[in-house]
Amino acid sequence: MTTLDAELLDCLVIGGGAAGFTGAIYLSRFRRNILLVDAGKSRLSLIPISHNYSGFPEGVPGKELLERLRAQATRYGVRIVAGTIERLDKLPDGTFMAMSGQGSIRARTVLLATGVTDVAPDIDGIKEALQSGCLRYCPVCDGYEAIGKKVAVLGTGKHGVNEALFIKHFATDLTLLTPDAQRNLTQQQHHQLKERQIRVIDGKTSALVCEDNQGIAAHLHDGSIHRFDVLYSALGIDVNSRLAQSLGADCDDDGQIVVDAHLQTSVEGLYAAGDIVEGLNQISVANGHAAIAATAIHNRL
Protein backbone atom coordinates (compact mmCIF):
# COMPACT_ATOMS: atom_id res chain seq x y z
CA MET A 1 0.00 0.00 0.00
CA THR A 2 1.16 3.49 -0.80
CA THR A 3 1.86 5.68 2.21
CA LEU A 4 -0.38 8.75 1.97
CA ASP A 5 0.54 10.59 5.14
CA ALA A 6 0.73 13.96 3.39
CA GLU A 7 -2.59 13.57 1.56
CA LEU A 8 -6.03 14.17 3.03
CA LEU A 9 -8.65 12.14 1.18
CA ASP A 10 -12.29 13.10 0.91
CA CYS A 11 -13.20 9.50 1.67
CA LEU A 12 -11.48 6.22 2.39
CA VAL A 13 -13.48 3.21 1.25
CA ILE A 14 -12.57 0.02 3.11
CA GLY A 15 -13.70 -3.15 1.37
CA GLY A 16 -13.72 -4.42 -2.22
CA GLY A 17 -17.11 -6.06 -2.62
CA ALA A 18 -20.42 -4.89 -4.08
CA ALA A 19 -20.87 -2.12 -1.49
CA GLY A 20 -17.28 -0.90 -1.57
CA PHE A 21 -16.97 -0.72 -5.34
CA THR A 22 -20.44 0.82 -5.82
CA GLY A 23 -19.69 3.47 -3.21
CA ALA A 24 -16.33 4.19 -4.83
CA ILE A 25 -17.92 4.51 -8.29
CA TYR A 26 -20.47 7.02 -7.00
CA LEU A 27 -17.88 9.04 -5.10
CA SER A 28 -15.49 9.13 -8.02
CA ARG A 29 -18.26 10.31 -10.33
CA PHE A 30 -18.98 12.98 -7.72
CA ARG A 31 -15.37 14.05 -8.39
CA ARG A 32 -14.21 13.23 -4.89
CA ASN A 33 -10.64 12.34 -3.94
CA ILE A 34 -10.96 8.76 -2.69
CA LEU A 35 -9.05 5.54 -2.18
CA LEU A 36 -10.41 2.00 -1.96
CA VAL A 37 -8.54 -0.59 0.11
CA ASP A 38 -9.37 -4.16 -0.86
CA ALA A 39 -8.38 -7.18 1.25
CA GLY A 40 -9.53 -9.51 -1.55
CA LYS A 41 -12.02 -11.44 0.55
CA SER A 42 -15.38 -10.46 -0.91
CA ARG A 43 -18.14 -13.08 -0.60
CA LEU A 44 -18.93 -12.37 -4.25
CA SER A 45 -15.91 -14.44 -5.24
CA LEU A 46 -17.50 -17.52 -3.61
CA ILE A 47 -20.75 -17.39 -5.62
CA PRO A 48 -20.69 -19.89 -8.52
CA ILE A 49 -23.60 -18.08 -10.20
CA SER A 50 -26.34 -15.73 -8.98
CA HIS A 51 -29.76 -15.85 -10.59
CA ASN A 52 -31.49 -13.20 -8.47
CA TYR A 53 -29.32 -10.20 -9.35
CA SER A 54 -31.24 -7.86 -11.65
CA GLY A 55 -30.13 -7.38 -15.24
CA PHE A 56 -28.64 -10.84 -15.81
CA PRO A 57 -31.47 -13.10 -17.06
CA GLU A 58 -29.15 -16.10 -17.37
CA GLY A 59 -27.43 -15.40 -14.05
CA VAL A 60 -23.96 -14.04 -13.36
CA PRO A 61 -20.95 -15.68 -11.65
CA GLY A 62 -19.84 -13.83 -8.54
CA LYS A 63 -16.27 -13.45 -9.78
CA GLU A 64 -17.46 -11.97 -13.07
CA LEU A 65 -19.64 -9.44 -11.26
CA LEU A 66 -16.72 -8.53 -9.03
CA GLU A 67 -14.48 -8.03 -12.08
CA ARG A 68 -17.13 -5.84 -13.73
CA LEU A 69 -17.39 -3.67 -10.61
CA ARG A 70 -13.63 -3.30 -10.43
CA ALA A 71 -13.42 -2.42 -14.14
CA GLN A 72 -16.13 0.21 -13.78
CA ALA A 73 -14.45 1.73 -10.74
CA THR A 74 -11.13 1.83 -12.59
CA ARG A 75 -12.82 3.49 -15.58
CA TYR A 76 -13.75 6.44 -13.37
CA GLY A 77 -10.31 6.74 -11.83
CA VAL A 78 -10.83 5.02 -8.50
CA ARG A 79 -7.48 4.24 -6.91
CA ILE A 80 -7.54 0.66 -5.65
CA VAL A 81 -4.87 -0.81 -3.42
CA ALA A 82 -4.58 -4.31 -2.00
CA GLY A 83 -4.25 -4.54 1.74
CA THR A 84 -5.94 -4.68 5.11
CA ILE A 85 -6.68 -1.79 7.41
CA GLU A 86 -5.48 -2.90 10.82
CA ARG A 87 -6.46 0.16 12.82
CA LEU A 88 -8.80 3.12 12.42
CA ASP A 89 -8.67 6.20 14.66
CA LYS A 90 -10.57 9.46 14.75
CA LEU A 91 -8.31 12.46 15.26
CA PRO A 92 -9.08 15.56 17.34
CA ASP A 93 -9.75 17.58 14.17
CA GLY A 94 -12.54 15.17 13.16
CA THR A 95 -10.62 13.40 10.40
CA PHE A 96 -9.74 9.71 10.37
CA MET A 97 -6.37 7.95 10.37
CA ALA A 98 -6.20 4.42 9.01
CA MET A 99 -3.17 2.24 9.59
CA SER A 100 -1.94 -0.81 7.75
CA GLY A 101 1.33 -2.71 7.57
CA GLN A 102 2.35 -0.59 4.58
CA GLY A 103 1.51 2.88 5.81
CA SER A 104 -1.11 5.35 7.01
CA ILE A 105 -4.04 7.08 5.31
CA ARG A 106 -5.91 10.22 6.39
CA ALA A 107 -9.46 10.93 5.28
CA ARG A 108 -12.25 13.34 6.06
CA THR A 109 -14.79 10.50 5.95
CA VAL A 110 -14.74 6.70 5.86
CA LEU A 111 -17.08 4.23 4.18
CA LEU A 112 -16.84 0.79 5.78
CA ALA A 113 -17.79 -2.07 3.46
CA THR A 114 -15.90 -4.94 5.06
CA GLY A 115 -18.83 -7.35 4.97
CA VAL A 116 -19.22 -10.62 6.80
CA THR A 117 -17.63 -14.06 6.70
CA ASP A 118 -19.75 -17.20 6.62
CA VAL A 119 -18.98 -19.65 9.41
CA ALA A 120 -17.91 -22.76 7.52
CA PRO A 121 -18.37 -26.21 9.00
CA ASP A 122 -15.10 -27.69 10.21
CA ILE A 123 -15.28 -30.65 7.87
CA ASP A 124 -13.63 -31.92 4.69
CA GLY A 125 -14.67 -30.92 1.18
CA ILE A 126 -15.92 -27.37 1.79
CA LYS A 127 -14.07 -25.59 -1.04
CA GLU A 128 -15.02 -28.14 -3.69
CA ALA A 129 -18.64 -28.21 -2.53
CA LEU A 130 -18.95 -24.43 -2.75
CA GLN A 131 -17.41 -24.29 -6.21
CA SER A 132 -19.77 -26.94 -7.56
CA GLY A 133 -22.82 -25.22 -6.08
CA CYS A 134 -24.00 -28.27 -4.14
CA LEU A 135 -23.10 -26.46 -0.89
CA ARG A 136 -24.77 -23.08 -0.41
CA TYR A 137 -25.06 -20.38 2.22
CA CYS A 138 -27.95 -18.13 1.17
CA PRO A 139 -31.50 -19.44 0.58
CA VAL A 140 -32.71 -15.87 0.05
CA CYS A 141 -30.39 -15.77 -2.99
CA ASP A 142 -31.04 -19.19 -4.45
CA GLY A 143 -33.87 -20.95 -2.61
CA TYR A 144 -35.80 -20.82 -5.89
CA GLU A 145 -33.22 -23.15 -7.43
CA ALA A 146 -33.99 -25.70 -4.68
CA ILE A 147 -37.53 -26.27 -5.93
CA GLY A 148 -38.12 -29.97 -6.62
CA LYS A 149 -34.78 -31.02 -5.13
CA LYS A 150 -33.76 -33.09 -2.14
CA VAL A 151 -32.32 -30.53 0.26
CA ALA A 152 -30.53 -30.60 3.61
CA VAL A 153 -29.73 -27.88 6.12
CA LEU A 154 -26.63 -28.26 8.28
CA GLY A 155 -27.12 -26.26 11.45
CA THR A 156 -27.81 -26.13 15.15
CA GLY A 157 -30.30 -24.46 17.43
CA LYS A 158 -32.49 -21.53 16.45
CA HIS A 159 -30.43 -20.52 13.40
CA GLY A 160 -30.58 -23.99 11.85
CA VAL A 161 -34.30 -24.38 12.55
CA ASN A 162 -35.16 -20.94 11.12
CA GLU A 163 -33.18 -21.67 7.95
CA ALA A 164 -34.93 -25.00 7.52
CA LEU A 165 -38.35 -23.40 7.99
CA PHE A 166 -37.46 -20.74 5.40
CA ILE A 167 -36.24 -23.26 2.82
CA LYS A 168 -39.33 -25.44 3.31
CA HIS A 169 -41.20 -22.80 1.27
CA PHE A 170 -39.21 -24.05 -1.75
CA ALA A 171 -38.21 -27.65 -0.99
CA THR A 172 -40.75 -30.34 -0.23
CA ASP A 173 -38.03 -32.93 0.57
CA LEU A 174 -36.06 -31.31 3.39
CA THR A 175 -33.80 -32.63 6.16
CA LEU A 176 -32.12 -30.85 9.07
CA LEU A 177 -28.71 -32.31 9.94
CA THR A 178 -27.89 -31.35 13.50
CA PRO A 179 -25.62 -32.78 16.20
CA ASP A 180 -27.25 -33.76 19.49
CA ALA A 181 -30.76 -32.76 18.44
CA GLN A 182 -32.28 -33.73 21.76
CA ARG A 183 -30.09 -31.24 23.59
CA ASN A 184 -29.78 -28.49 20.97
CA LEU A 185 -33.43 -28.28 19.90
CA THR A 186 -36.32 -27.27 22.13
CA GLN A 187 -39.61 -29.14 22.29
CA GLN A 188 -41.27 -26.30 20.40
CA GLN A 189 -38.63 -26.46 17.65
CA HIS A 190 -39.12 -30.23 17.32
CA HIS A 191 -42.85 -29.58 16.98
CA GLN A 192 -42.32 -26.88 14.33
CA LEU A 193 -40.10 -29.16 12.26
CA LYS A 194 -42.51 -32.10 12.52
CA GLU A 195 -45.47 -29.89 11.63
CA ARG A 196 -43.69 -28.70 8.46
CA GLN A 197 -42.62 -32.28 7.61
CA ILE A 198 -38.90 -31.53 7.97
CA ARG A 199 -36.90 -34.63 8.86
CA VAL A 200 -34.26 -34.37 11.57
CA ILE A 201 -31.09 -36.47 11.43
CA ASP A 202 -29.30 -36.38 14.76
CA GLY A 203 -25.54 -36.72 14.29
CA LYS A 204 -22.28 -34.92 13.72
CA THR A 205 -21.18 -34.51 10.10
CA SER A 206 -17.55 -35.47 9.46
CA ALA A 207 -17.25 -34.87 5.72
CA LEU A 208 -19.10 -33.50 2.70
CA VAL A 209 -18.37 -35.13 -0.64
CA CYS A 210 -19.55 -33.83 -4.02
CA GLU A 211 -20.41 -36.74 -6.27
CA ASP A 212 -19.66 -35.84 -9.91
CA ASN A 213 -22.50 -33.34 -10.34
CA GLN A 214 -24.87 -35.84 -8.74
CA GLY A 215 -25.27 -33.86 -5.53
CA ILE A 216 -23.58 -34.02 -2.15
CA ALA A 217 -23.07 -36.81 0.37
CA ALA A 218 -22.96 -36.03 4.07
CA HIS A 219 -20.84 -38.55 5.97
CA LEU A 220 -21.70 -38.76 9.65
CA HIS A 221 -19.45 -39.86 12.50
CA ASP A 222 -21.61 -42.94 13.06
CA GLY A 223 -20.63 -44.21 9.60
CA SER A 224 -23.94 -43.44 7.90
CA ILE A 225 -24.05 -41.57 4.59
CA HIS A 226 -26.92 -39.32 3.51
CA ARG A 227 -27.21 -37.99 -0.04
CA PHE A 228 -28.84 -34.75 -1.17
CA ASP A 229 -29.04 -32.58 -4.26
CA VAL A 230 -28.17 -29.43 -2.29
CA LEU A 231 -26.97 -28.73 1.24
CA TYR A 232 -27.24 -25.37 3.00
CA SER A 233 -24.80 -24.54 5.77
CA ALA A 234 -26.59 -22.55 8.48
CA LEU A 235 -23.88 -21.98 11.07
CA GLY A 236 -24.10 -18.19 11.10
CA ILE A 237 -21.74 -15.38 10.13
CA ASP A 238 -18.84 -13.45 11.59
CA VAL A 239 -19.38 -9.72 11.08
CA ASN A 240 -16.23 -7.81 10.15
CA SER A 241 -17.12 -4.76 12.23
CA ARG A 242 -14.00 -4.64 14.39
CA LEU A 243 -12.90 -1.26 13.02
CA ALA A 244 -16.29 0.31 13.70
CA GLN A 245 -16.45 -1.14 17.18
CA SER A 246 -12.97 0.19 17.96
CA LEU A 247 -14.36 3.69 17.37
CA GLY A 248 -17.37 3.02 19.58
CA ALA A 249 -19.94 2.68 16.79
CA ASP A 250 -23.26 1.18 17.84
CA CYS A 251 -23.77 -2.44 16.76
CA ASP A 252 -26.52 -5.00 17.30
CA ASP A 253 -26.09 -8.22 19.27
CA ASP A 254 -24.63 -9.97 16.20
CA GLY A 255 -22.06 -7.25 15.58
CA GLN A 256 -23.82 -5.68 12.57
CA ILE A 257 -23.52 -1.91 12.50
CA VAL A 258 -26.52 0.26 13.33
CA VAL A 259 -26.84 3.20 10.91
CA ASP A 260 -29.22 6.09 10.26
CA ALA A 261 -31.25 6.77 7.11
CA HIS A 262 -28.11 8.09 5.39
CA LEU A 263 -26.04 5.03 6.37
CA GLN A 264 -23.99 7.04 8.87
CA THR A 265 -22.97 5.15 11.99
CA SER A 266 -23.19 6.63 15.48
CA VAL A 267 -19.68 8.00 14.84
CA GLU A 268 -19.77 11.29 12.95
CA GLY A 269 -18.25 10.94 9.48
CA LEU A 270 -18.12 7.13 9.59
CA TYR A 271 -20.50 5.42 7.17
CA ALA A 272 -21.17 1.74 6.53
CA ALA A 273 -22.78 -0.23 3.70
CA GLY A 274 -23.46 -3.81 2.68
CA ASP A 275 -23.57 -6.99 4.74
CA ILE A 276 -21.81 -5.26 7.62
CA VAL A 277 -24.96 -3.19 8.21
CA GLU A 278 -27.91 -4.44 10.22
CA GLY A 279 -30.48 -5.93 7.82
CA LEU A 280 -30.78 -8.20 4.78
CA ASN A 281 -27.49 -9.46 3.32
CA GLN A 282 -27.97 -9.17 -0.45
CA ILE A 283 -25.92 -7.78 -3.35
CA SER A 284 -28.72 -5.45 -4.41
CA VAL A 285 -29.11 -4.18 -0.85
CA ALA A 286 -25.34 -3.51 -0.70
CA ASN A 287 -25.60 -1.49 -3.91
CA GLY A 288 -28.47 0.55 -2.50
CA HIS A 289 -26.65 1.15 0.78
CA ALA A 290 -23.56 2.32 -1.07
CA ALA A 291 -25.51 4.70 -3.32
CA ILE A 292 -27.20 6.31 -0.30
CA ALA A 293 -24.00 6.49 1.75
CA ALA A 294 -21.86 7.88 -1.09
CA THR A 295 -24.43 10.59 -1.88
CA ALA A 296 -24.67 11.51 1.82
CA ILE A 297 -20.88 11.70 2.04
CA HIS A 298 -20.71 13.92 -1.06
CA ASN A 299 -23.39 16.25 0.32
CA ARG A 300 -21.62 16.36 3.67
CA LEU A 301 -18.31 17.33 2.07
Side-chain angles (χ1 to χ4, degrees):
M1 183 184 297
T2 304
T3 301
L4 299 171
D5 299 83
E7 182 179 5
L8 179 61
L9 300 170
D10 287 328
C11 184
L12 168 63
V13 180
I14 305 176
F21 277 120
T22 300
I25 290 166
Y26 268 70
L27 287 164
S28 189
R29 285 173 56 85
F30 285 141
R31 303 176 67 191
R32 291 299 178 181
N33 178 25
I34 68 168
L35 179 73
L36 184 147
V37 178
D38 180 13
K41 297 180 180 179
S42 172
R43 292 168 92 201
L44 275 180
S45 65
L46 301 176
I47 301 173
I49 187 166
S50 174
H51 292 280
N52 78 326
Y53 186 66
S54 302
F56 293 89
E58 303 303 320
V60 58
K63 287 184 178 179
E64 178 184 333
L65 184 56
L66 198 57
E67 289 167 2
R68 285 173 175 262
L69 287 165
R70 178 180 287 270
Q72 187 171 354
T74 302
R75 177 187 179 94
Y76 292 108
V78 175
R79 288 180 292 167
I80 305 167
V81 294
T84 301
I85 299 300
E86 298 167 356
R87 178 173 172 174
L88 184 63
D89 296 312
K90 191 165 188 183
L91 304 179
D93 64 0
T95 63
F96 294 86
M97 178 71 78
M99 303 294 297
S100 75
Q102 293 85 359
S104 59
I105 304 168
R106 284 186 63 224
R108 297 165 68 187
T109 60
V110 172
L111 175 57
L112 283 177
T114 45
V116 302
T117 303
D118 294 288
V119 177
D122 185 20
I123 51 183
D124 298 332
I126 292 296
K127 184 177 179 180
E128 294 78 9
L130 281 171
Q131 289 176 342
S132 71
C134 60
L135 174 65
R136 301 175 183 175
Y137 283 122
C138 180
V140 174
C141 303
D142 50 34
Y144 184 89
E145 278 69 46
I147 294 174
K149 295 184 177 180
K150 187 177 182 180
V151 182
V153 173
L154 177 64
T156 60
K158 182 179 179 181
H159 191 78
V161 170
N162 287 346
E163 186 121 331
L165 292 172
F166 183 91
I167 295 172
K168 184 60 178 177
H169 176 73
F170 303 99
T172 55
D173 189 335
L174 182 62
T175 300
L176 174 64
L177 297 173
T178 185
D180 200 357
Q182 293 306 313
R183 183 173 63 87
N184 290 326
L185 299 181
T186 67
Q187 220 172 17
Q188 181 183 5
Q189 288 168 337
H190 276 289
H191 176 72
Q192 286 178 302
L193 294 167
K194 184 177 181 180
E195 189 176 51
R196 295 295 302 277
Q197 297 182 317
I198 300 171
R199 290 186 297 274
V200 177
I201 294 179
D202 189 342
K204 187 174 181 181
T205 303
S206 59
L208 297 176
V209 180
C210 293
E211 300 186 318
D212 298 325
N213 297 320
Q214 298 299 311
I216 186 168
H219 295 245
L220 271 59
H221 273 287
D222 63 7
S224 62
I225 301 174
H226 303 271
R227 291 179 169 84
F228 307 96
D229 298 317
V230 176
L231 185 143
Y232 282 89
S233 177
L235 300 178
I237 55 175
D238 288 327
V239 184
N240 302 316
S241 56
R242 176 184 58 83
L243 293 174
Q245 292 185 43
S246 72
L247 291 176
D250 292 340
C251 296
D252 67 12
D253 292 340
D254 295 322
Q256 290 184 298
I257 303 173
V258 178
V259 295
D260 64 16
H262 300 288
L263 279 298
Q264 183 172 221
T265 72
S266 58
V267 177
E268 192 77 13
L270 179 66
Y271 294 76
D275 294 350
I276 196 174
V277 172
E278 182 183 40
L280 186 63
N281 295 346
Q282 290 286 287
I283 302 169
S284 55
V285 173
N287 291 341
H289 282 173
I292 293 169
T295 302
I297 290 169
H298 170 64
N299 290 336
R300 175 194 184 90
L301 295 170

